[in-house]
Amino acid sequence: MNDNKKIKWQMLAFMAFSTVWGFGNVLNGFVYFNGIQVIFSWILMFALYFVPYALMVGELGSAFKNSGGGVSSWVFDTMGAKVAYYAGWTYWACHITYIASKSSGGLKALSWAVFRNAEKYDSFPTIYVQIATLAVLLFFSFVASRGLNPLKSLATIAGSSMFVMSILYIIMMFAAPVINPHAQFVSMDFSLKTLLPNFNVGYFTSLSILVFAVGGCEKISPYVNKVENPSKGFPKGMISLAVMVMVCAILGTIAMGMMFDPNLINESPESFNSYVSNGSYWAFQKLGQYYHLGDTLLVIYAICNMIGQFSTLVLSIDAPLRMLLDNENTREFIPAGLLKKNKYGAYINGIWMVIILSGGIILIQSVVPGAAAVLKQLTKLNSVCMPLRYCWVFAAYIALRNAFDRIHADYRFVKNQGVAKFFGWWCLLITLACCILGMYDKDAFTCALNIITPVVLTALGLILPAIAKKQKAKVNA
């Protein structure tokens, strides 16, 4: 690549920022960590987890610049085909809970766009909401099975607009007291005593929410060697990314603290569930009221979110499945039935497996009292399952450093082997610990769902290679 076509580190930072960060991360941190107390946790998470995570991704991307399969390719090149299959399976399996949440989230956004309140959607009997959610899953699975993705371009537009609105929210909220000084704002206490969190069971079992929020920067690894002077430019971009995310997390938290009183959020389980599922919509509704715009900002946000949720749903049904089944290096561990394609080129049996597993989660939640509680459960379930895929990033990094002399990388996170491996193991163990602790919940049903779901998905991933091996032996016989 010519130097004039190289990406500047500033551009890399903004590309990564729009990929990693979202408005929902601010809301979840605020709700789960008692308002502005989350600032302390955000700072720790960025310094001790996110920065080394991003820089390790840079080294992996630099070492395997010609590998197009991302994490699975890294694992294949460092640990072999069967381990690469497990990495690919984990990436796909994590999306099962994500797909269920996108179906529910899209309906919630549609409800806000139409009714402009939380009460209408939350008042519907859970069984009817879940049947509608299942219908949404079936419809978009049908779209995916036809090899179509009409919302793909809209996904980019919706994602960009959501990113813009997240930044706009912070700017407009800080300007609101000047524009409308007579509006009702919540006063905040920034004393050290108030900002320090309570290190109790609830705190440690919620850390998976923050790990989930800052993960995903491995998506930008293909750009490592396209940056000007990668050995210096990439770490500059990643450190800038960490600074931008930290600033937005802190300023977004303060902006939200001007709107919502944490005491009201935590006054009852029902109130907490409602804020988890509706807080982002209330934020834009209040913001519109401060500027005398009515529900304009709310409706724009709800429509963008609805398009984003449904388009991401189609992508999540199709893309992770193709990453798992298209990989020639790991196909030997997958039963032949799952590799069957229809006339549109879609893995039809794989899509049915998505429907059965994600649909099972949707139907199981029919017994949950209230639609708001369903979304709260899915938020926590995603925070338990989705970060498990990051473990493979750190495992691949440790394996890369074990092959330090054999595998060359233009960019190295740190030169010292001991320090590099320490951070690899540190991030791996932190991720595992947060996911395991995140399984706990006071509600027995939620706790059971958080434990059973990853266990079932892991067991299924272990069974499939055995089935494939048996099929292969039968054919050879």
Side-chain angles (χ1 to χ4, degrees), residues 348-361:
I348 187 64
N349 289 336
I351 291 175
W352 273 112
M353 188 163 65
V354 171
I355 292 172
I356 292 168
L357 293 171
S358 293
I361 293 173

Side-chain angles (χ1 to χ4, degrees), residues 362-378:
I362 290 169
L363 291 177
I364 286 170
Q365 289 188 296
S366 298
V367 301
V368 176
V374 168
L375 285 168
K376 181 255 182 182
Q377 276 188 355
L378 288 171

Side-chain angles (χ1 to χ4, degrees), residues 3 6 21 29 114 128 159 186 200 213 331 334 349 434 447 454 462:
D3 288 340
K6 290 278 189 177
W21 196 244
V114 175
Y128 297 150
V186 177
N200 52 24
R331 276 193 161 201
I334 297 170
N349 289 336
C434 289
C447 187
L462 293 172

Side-chain angles (χ1 to χ4, degrees), residues 136-447:
V136 167
L137 172 63
L138 291 173
F139 173 75
F140 284 108
S141 295
F142 172 78
V143 172
S145 72
R146 290 300 182 267
L148 301 174
N149 189 4
L151 298 178
K152 189 172 183 179
S153 57
L154 285 176
T156 305
I157 298 171
S160 300
S161 61
M162 289 285 284
F163 168 69
V164 170
M165 291 198 74
S166 299
I167 303 300
L168 197 63
Y169 170 80
I170 296 172
I171 296 171
M172 291 182 71
M173 194 57 220
F174 274 91
V178 178
I179 302 296
N180 189 359
H182 301 295
Q184 290 185 343
F185 300 100
V186 177
S187 59
M188 292 174 285
D189 180 6
F190 287 99
S191 65
L192 184 62
K193 183 180 178 181
T194 304
L195 288 175
L196 283 177
N198 296 317
F199 296 104
N200 52 24
V201 173
Y203 178 86
F204 290 105
T205 56
S206 298
L207 284 175
S208 59
I209 294 287
L210 301 187
V211 172
F212 180 34
V214 300
C217 63
E218 63 272 8
K219 294 175 184 176
I220 62 162
S221 61
Y223 299 100
V224 175
N225 292 287
K226 297 178 182 179
V227 181
E228 288 182 355
N229 192 2
S231 62
K232 292 184 179 179
F234 190 83
K236 279 184 181 178
M238 290 299 95
I239 291 170
S240 298
L241 163 66
V243 171
M244 287 194 299
V245 171
M246 184 167 68
V247 168
C248 282
I250 292 172
L251 294 182
T253 299
I254 294 172
M256 203 158 279
M258 297 165 66
M259 280 186 168
F260 303 122
D261 183 354
N263 293 320
L264 296 178
I265 295 174
N266 295 305
E267 68 178 359
S268 69
E270 291 75 20
S271 176
F272 183 87
N273 293 345
S274 194
Y275 271 93
V276 170
S277 60
N278 300 299
S280 59
Y281 301 100
W282 282 330
F284 278 96
Q285 188 174 48
K286 279 195 171 189
L287 188 63
Q289 292 169 359
Y290 292 148
Y291 282 83
H292 304 293
L293 296 173
D295 288 337
T296 303
L297 293 178
L298 162 66
V299 172
I300 293 172
Y301 174 79
I303 291 173
C304 290
N305 197 18
M306 179 189 69
I307 295 171
Q309 296 274 353
F310 286 148
S311 55
T312 302
L313 173 59
V314 177
L315 290 172
S316 297
I317 292 170
D318 185 62
L321 189 62
R322 289 187 182 276
M323 287 180 66
L324 174 66
L325 302 181
D326 276 346
N327 192 339
E328 295 292 339
N329 297 322
T330 60
R331 276 193 161 201
E332 63 178 296
F333 305 106
I334 297 170
L338 287 178
L339 299 174
K340 180 183 176 182
K341 289 185 179 181
N342 62 13
K343 63 181 180 179
Y344 303 102
Y347 289 104
I348 187 64
N349 289 336
I351 291 175
W352 273 112
M353 188 163 65
V354 171
I355 292 172
I356 292 168
L357 293 171
S358 293
I361 293 173
I362 290 169
L363 291 177
I364 286 170
Q365 289 188 296
S366 298
V367 301
V368 176
V374 168
L375 285 168
K376 181 255 182 182
Q377 276 188 355
L378 288 171
T379 299
K380 196 65 185 294
L381 184 59
N382 271 321
S383 78
V384 169
C385 293
M386 289 296 279
L388 289 172
R389 59 188 174 142
Y390 311 150
C391 292
W392 289 110
V393 175
F394 307 127
Y397 182 74
I398 294 166
L400 172 64
R401 294 306 294 223
N402 287 335
F404 186 85
D405 297 327
R406 181 171 60 88
I407 303 176
H408 171 74
D410 294 327
Y411 159 71
R412 294 289 186 184
F413 164 34
V414 289
K415 292 182 179 179
N416 185 280
Q417 283 283 79
V419 173
K421 290 180 182 179
F422 167 79
F423 277 110
W425 281 107
W426 167 261
C427 289
L428 175 61
L429 294 174
I430 287 293
T431 305
L432 280 174
C434 289
C435 290
I436 293 170
L437 289 171
M439 293 177 181
Y440 172 77
D441 196 277
K442 291 180 180 178
D443 178 67
F445 181 84
T446 303
C447 187

